[in-house]
């Protein structure tokens, strides 16, 4: 996945500020965005595999939750 297409940098800044940051650098926003998108890619791939293993083509919330735990 390309890191420029899913999550806006403004959302990263908002999350960091909600966590207590007074100021947030552009590099910090980009780093958080990249990290979250990488984790999301991994979770999504695991969720798809879980659905396929269960004989389904539809990925369910339970697949995503289970994938996030592992």
């Amino acid at each position: 996945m390309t890191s420029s297409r899913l999550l806006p940098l403004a959302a990263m800044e908002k999350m960091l500020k909600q966590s207590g940051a007074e100021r947030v650098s552009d590099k910090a926003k980009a780093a958080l965005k990249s990290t979250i998108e990488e984790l999301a890619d991994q979770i999504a791939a695991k969720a798809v595999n879980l659905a396929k293993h269960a004989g389904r083509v539809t990925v369910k919330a339970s697949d995503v939750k289970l994938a996030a735990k592992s």
Side-chain angles (χ1 to χ4, degrees), residues 2-67:
T2 60
S3 105
S4 64
R5 67 182 183 110
L6 295 177
L7 301 173
L9 290 176
M12 302 302 104
E13 181 175 10
K14 185 174 182 178
M15 279 193 266
L16 288 163
K17 285 191 173 188
Q18 286 176 344
S19 294
E22 289 184 31
R23 297 178 63 196
V24 180
S25 72
D26 289 341
K27 287 185 179 182
K29 290 182 256 185
L32 180 60
K33 175 181 174 167
S34 175
T35 302
I36 290 173
E37 288 178 343
E38 286 175 22
L39 288 172
D41 283 345
Q42 293 170 8
I43 292 169
K46 288 179 185 177
V48 169
N49 286 335
L50 289 168
K52 285 181 182 178
H53 181 72
R56 292 183 273 108
V57 294
T58 302
V59 176
K60 295 185 176 186
S62 59
D63 297 323
V64 175
K65 290 178 183 178
L66 184 59

